[in-house]
Amino acid sequence: IFLAMNTNEAITNDVLSHHLTAFGNNDLAEILKDYTEESQVLTPNGPLTGLAAIRQFFAEYFLAIPTGSAFTMKQLTVSHQVGYVAWASDSDIAQIPMGTDTFFLKGDKIIVHTVADYRIMK
């Protein structure tokens, strides 16, 4: 069991690292590699399912947090196949003093991703 937990956490760390790098680069093609057609992103506006909906979600998100924004990682925690990120961002478009994401993985894909942020438009 100990090896399985370490393997799960290593995979989760790898996927999160890829996701956060792609997000930081506003790279839609790379970010979508972490999801499947069955993946869901749960947002305050409701659930999004599938790659087309997830692509649109990130395209809109990149407008508020463009590449080069001041982004601060407040916390990154990995437990088994779950990753949790707390963060803040400041751009010319929006200040986000608090944002959170939780990622639930199945294998090396994000199957469920929850996201919420407190956004102050400028």
Side-chain angles (χ1 to χ4, degrees):
I1 275 184
F2 184 71
L3 271 178
M5 286 178 12
N6 282 345
T7 301
N8 288 342
E9 289 181 355
I11 291 168
T12 303
N13 274 313
D14 287 347
V15 172
L16 279 184
S17 177
H18 179 263
H19 177 83
L20 294 170
T21 299
F23 186 85
N25 293 330
N26 289 180
D27 188 336
L28 274 173
E30 276 303 309
I31 219 163
L32 288 173
K33 291 178 182 179
D34 297 328
Y35 298 87
T36 70
E37 281 297 341
E38 291 75 38
S39 296
Q40 283 194 314
V41 177
L42 307 179
T43 77
N45 297 323
L48 305 170
T49 303
L51 296 175
I54 293 169
R55 171 185 286 278
Q56 182 63 34
F57 170 78
F58 280 107
E60 291 171 9
Y61 224 97
F62 292 158
L63 296 177
I65 308 177
T67 299
S69 297
F71 184 89
T72 305
M73 181 73 65
K74 294 182 173 196
Q75 181 180 343
L76 191 155
T77 302
V78 170
S79 179
H80 308 286
Q81 292 173 294
V82 178
Y84 172 80
V85 179
W87 53 272
S89 176
D90 194 9
S91 73
D92 291 339
I93 294 139
Q95 178 186 12
I96 303 174
M98 182 63 180
T100 66
D101 292 83
T102 304
F103 305 90
F104 300 86
L105 276 70
K106 184 175 183 181
D108 64 349
K109 299 294 181 187
I110 299 167
I111 197 70
V112 175
H113 170 189
T114 70
V115 61
D117 63 67
Y118 174 59
R119 190 176 304 191
I120 303 162
M121 300 308 289
K122 294 184 178 177

